[in-house]
Amino acid sequence: MSLGTRLDALRRPDTSEDDWAGFLLRAEAELPRLTGLFRDIYGDGPEAGRELELLLDDAAVSWQDRPAELRALDADRAEQPDWFQSNRMLGGVCYVDLYAGDLERLRARIPYFRELGLTYLHLMPLFLAPEENSDGGYAVSSYRDVNPALGTMADLRRLAGELRESGISLVVDFIFNHTSNEHEWARRARAGDPEFEGFYWIFPDREGPDAYERTVREIFPDDHPGSFVQLDDGRWVWATFHSFQWDLNYRNPAVFRAMAREMLFLANQGVDVLRMDAVAFIWKELGTTCESLPQAHWLLQAFNAVCRIAAPSLLFKSEAIVHPDEVIQYIDPHECQLSYNPLQMALIWSSLATRDVGLLSQALERRHALPEGTAWVNYVRSHDDIGWTFADEDAAELGLDGHAHRRFLNSFFVNRFPGSYARGVPFQDNPRTGDCRISGTTASLAGLEAGDDGAIGRILLAHSIALSTGGVPLLYLGDEVGQLNDYGYLDVPGHAEDSRWVGRPPYPADRYAQREDPSTDAGAVFQGLRALIAARAATPEFAGGRLVPFATNNRHVLGYQRPGDAGTAIVVFANFADDPQTVAPRTLSGLPASAVDILAGGTPVDLSGGLVLPAHTFRWLRVRAG
């Protein structure tokens, strides 16, 4: 029986011939890839074949459930597949409760999002989760229910529609390595239901856990040693991160199908992008680290194929805070079209601390290029801690000892280094070894909390890199008005032991009220960023991700070019030093003698005599090819 003949039985009377034909065309196009991936992951057994058939049935049902306006969006984006690579793309990220209180009040902030220029809004985990053991929302009890304190799924659907009308894409987290131990699947597994016991890695004794733990690293040893926790009945369950987060068993094809249904459900609520959480951990293999294994990539590709059939405009964004060589492996049009750029983020801060751009310049030269049809999400900081993810071998080429450099950065950003302006807070601090990661807001890390005169310049400089290197720039909302660390987290039950909350302050109403007054810190940061955002949106050379390195021959000054399609390029220079720096005439001799400063209203710039950049300043110069 052909695919079309089998699926035709699922066609509803109100599904038009054109819509159904389009669905079947996509299903037939993706089926060979999906079948091959299922075979690679699950083999040729009857169970895998049956689950694949049911998966296609699920896709047919989900496509017919998909609202007409989302099907229209699918068609529009099929005509413009590079929509997310526009120079007008600008992302924002926030916690709903901290930024607005609930989804309804967040809708009231849409006019401000338009004012800022957002085209992409990432809402941190908002699904139903245990009140206490939630890991900031990453312990999901239901993917189909919103946390009641934030609203309902109907509220989220309404918000998505209004954002879409304002040209803003909705992004949410898809936590698919694990669920909360209070998820219905976990409850049924704990009760001994054999169907759902197979959804998790559950062992009757320590033999299996001991075998895996010989090669698997501990992630949060303060919560529980190893990777397993014991249940009340004596069994052991895999919990990579926290004791209340149980890892899903993707060796079971029924788990894949169940999670695909949840994914398609969210797509039909109006979600445009899913942040694929903890992608490196989703496949387990005895005798390995159980991180970034080939099957993890095959699973992502298989999920992608399902979405191309039933929600074709949905994009995936990978979250892989791993070695730079592993990060790039998740980025592909058929896997994750978007990816966080943790290396660039970390090296922006490294350059600010050292006033030396060597590592950042090296990363832009070697690790910036991506496959066609994909893009970086570039950011200055996120909701999470900052980890120093550069490769030791890259550092060694520049004469740096990777371990020693990380210790310096940790010391500098938590104000343990003489002369530091930073006021970060250590996360998972080990004073004996110097190991830790860094928590804090952009402003506090850049010196605003300490009253340092260079703070505002550093804040704008850091964001100028994220805005000009290509891809989707992402702002942690509130940072655009210079919000400071929130030490009130120490008084909140469940937060006091997790310093990452210091960088998640509540909505800074007083600072937003000052955003139009450039004489205030909040206004200076906001007006400076708004000028950068407007200039980027008016500069077609900033579309896409192509970047050409430019050696400034000055270790304090970063340089690169963004070529355009009309014989022009934007040349970027950024001074990370605390004093003025010069780019010599000879260094600039390969460029035209004259340029236009797009951040200064198109003012002509003579490059023949070199270029002087004051401390913490940057220039975006348009030049025309010879």
Side-chain angles (χ1 to χ4, degrees):
M1 182 186 298
S2 72
L3 176 67
T5 302
R6 194 176 65 79
L7 291 178
D8 277 343
L10 297 171
R11 179 184 168 187
R12 298 172 186 165
D14 60 347
T15 300
S16 72
E17 287 190 17
D18 286 346
D19 278 347
W20 188 246
F23 168 78
L24 290 179
L25 191 64
R26 292 192 303 276
E28 288 168 352
E30 293 293 340
L31 184 58
R33 179 162 73 111
L34 188 54
T35 301
L37 288 164
F38 248 61
R39 185 182 303 115
D40 291 339
I41 298 167
Y42 299 117
D44 290 319
E47 180 186 6
R50 176 61 179 160
E51 291 294 341
L52 179 57
E53 286 187 353
L54 293 173
L55 179 64
L56 292 169
D57 292 351
D58 293 340
V61 170
S62 181
W63 165 250
Q64 293 175 97
D65 288 340
R66 192 158 172 79
E69 61 270 23
L70 296 180
R71 294 190 198 180
L73 183 68
D74 292 335
D76 290 343
R77 288 183 173 167
E79 295 293 318
Q80 192 180 6
D82 61 348
W83 65 272
F84 58 90
Q85 297 179 306
S86 165
N87 52 299
R88 295 182 177 275
M89 285 296 293
L90 177 68
V93 57
C94 67
Y95 285 88
V96 174
D97 56 340
L98 294 172
Y99 195 76
D102 58 29
L103 290 168
E104 186 65 25
R105 282 176 280 185
L106 189 70
R107 283 174 57 225
R109 298 232 155 100
I110 291 177
Y112 169 72
F113 298 151
R114 288 199 299 262
E115 173 194 343
L116 184 59
L118 291 192
T119 60
Y120 162 122
L121 179 63
H122 179 180
L123 302 181
M124 295 301 294
L126 45 69
F127 300 115
L128 185 66
E131 189 170 340
E132 292 186 7
N133 294 327
S134 73
D135 187 29
Y138 285 96
V140 176
S141 299
S142 171
Y143 298 93
R144 299 191 180 219
D145 294 293
V146 168
N147 180 341
L150 304 180
T152 66
M153 189 57 71
D155 293 330
L156 182 64
R157 192 162 51 245
R158 185 162 51 249
L159 173 67
E162 293 193 18
L163 289 171
R164 188 163 54 251
E165 291 171 3
S166 295
I168 302 173
S169 298
L170 177 61
V171 186
V172 302
D173 291 80
F174 190 65
I175 297 94
F176 74 132
N177 174 72
H178 49 261
T179 72
S180 163
N181 61 357
E182 295 188 14
H183 194 288
E184 180 190 359
W185 302 341
R187 291 179 186 273
R188 294 176 70 172
R190 187 187 294 110
D193 185 325
E195 177 184 356
F196 290 95
E197 284 179 318
F199 271 45
Y200 300 94
W201 290 85
I202 298 177
F203 296 86
D205 52 40
R206 283 296 307 182
E207 181 179 355
D210 287 343
Y212 278 102
E213 285 182 348
R214 293 189 186 103
T215 53
V216 173
R217 67 185 174 109
E218 292 180 326
I219 303 300
F220 290 136
D222 291 343
D223 180 81
H224 66 284
S227 295
F228 295 82
V229 294
Q230 192 169 26
L231 305 182
D232 292 340
D233 61 10
R235 293 179 298 168
W236 293 82
V237 62
W238 200 315
T240 293
F241 296 102
H242 291 286
S243 58
F244 48 83
Q245 292 167 314
W246 292 6
D247 286 38
L248 288 162
N249 178 11
Y250 280 101
R251 285 183 177 274
N252 179 355
V255 170
F256 181 96
R257 180 178 160 232
M259 292 301 283
R261 285 198 302 270
E262 306 306 282
M263 186 181 296
L264 293 176
F265 172 82
L266 292 174
N268 282 357
Q269 307 312 300
V271 172
D272 296 278
V273 181
L274 290 176
R275 172 191 176 272
M276 309 298 275
D277 181 66
V279 293
F281 295 89
I282 58 176
W283 189 264
K284 325 299 189 193
E285 190 76 46
L286 189 63
T288 74
T289 63
C290 297
E291 295 182 39
S292 291
L293 298 176
Q295 291 89 342
H297 297 279
W298 300 344
L299 285 165
L300 283 168
Q301 292 164 25
F303 279 127
N304 194 301
V306 173
C307 292
R308 297 289 73 75
I309 295 170
S313 62
L314 185 72
L315 299 183
F316 291 172
K317 176 172 65 171
S318 78
E319 186 261 355
I321 311 301
V322 291
H323 188 285
D325 289 338
E326 293 182 23
V327 172
I328 194 73
Q329 294 171 11
Y330 291 93
I331 309 170
D332 186 272
H334 299 299
E335 193 161 331
C336 292
Q337 298 84 6
L338 297 168
S339 174
Y340 286 106
N341 194 349
L343 179 63
Q344 178 173 295
M345 179 274 295
L347 295 183
I348 288 172
W349 290 109
S350 173
S351 296
L352 287 170
T354 62
R355 287 75 164 175
D356 189 309
V357 301
L359 279 170
L360 180 55
S361 181
Q362 180 198 64
L364 289 176
E365 180 178 356
R366 294 184 182 176
R367 301 191 182 277
H368 180 80
L370 289 179
E372 195 73 25
T374 64
W376 288 118
V377 174
N378 292 314
Y379 57 111
V380 173
R381 68 100 173 185
S382 71
H383 71 287
D384 221 337
D385 55 275
I386 298 173
W388 309 112
T389 58
F390 58 84
D392 286 350
E393 57 270 28
D394 290 349
E397 288 188 27
L398 299 177
L400 295 171
D401 176 275
H403 178 70
H405 189 53
R406 289 185 183 91
R407 288 193 62 169
F408 159 72
L409 292 171
N410 288 334
S411 177
F412 184 91
F413 281 106
V414 300
N415 192 27
R416 294 173 183 165
F417 190 85
S420 172
Y421 52 76
R423 296 296 182 266
V425 178
F427 175 63
Q428 294 193 332
D429 190 19
N430 186 331
R432 182 180 61 80
T433 65
D435 290 338
C436 73
R437 299 199 292 273
I438 308 300
S439 301
T441 67
T442 297
S444 289
L445 293 172
L448 196 62
E449 182 177 325
D452 188 272
D453 290 342
I456 291 173
R458 292 187 195 98
I459 293 168
L460 296 177
L461 171 61
H463 283 101
S464 80
I465 306 304
L467 285 161
S468 63
T469 45
V472 181
L474 182 64
L475 299 170
Y476 190 100
L477 291 175
D479 279 10
E480 78 276 19
V481 291
Q483 65 187 347
L484 301 178
N485 285 348
D486 174 29
Y487 298 101
Y489 83 96
L490 292 167
D491 300 322
V492 178
H495 291 182
E497 300 302 317
D498 185 348
S499 69
R500 291 174 297 181
W501 286 102
V502 79
R504 305 166 183 172
Y507 182 80
D510 56 338
R511 289 184 172 268
Y512 276 109
Q514 297 171 349
R515 71 182 185 273
E516 301 297 340
D517 182 357
S519 69
T520 65
D521 289 342
V525 172
F526 184 80
Q527 296 299 322
L529 273 175
R530 280 293 296 126
L532 290 178
I533 292 165
R536 180 179 187 271
T539 304
E541 292 93 336
F542 283 143
R546 187 181 172 207
L547 181 147
V548 178
F550 186 97
T552 65
N553 298 314
N554 182 325
R555 67 188 184 91
H556 305 295
V557 179
L558 183 67
Y560 48 92
Q561 301 179 70
R562 298 296 313 282
D565 295 328
T568 61
I570 301 298
V571 187
V572 175
F573 296 104
N575 176 17
F576 280 77
D578 297 331
D579 51 15
Q581 295 294 316
T582 299
V583 183
R586 183 172 180 180
T587 298
L588 300 176
S589 61
L591 296 174
S594 62
V596 171
D597 189 334
I598 65 172
L599 292 176
T603 303
V605 177
D606 182 2
L607 298 178
S608 62
L611 185 67
V612 177
L613 294 105
H616 312 135
T617 60
F618 44 91
R619 308 289 288 274
W620 292 353
L621 305 178
R622 176 177 281 124
V623 297
R624 188 163 294 279

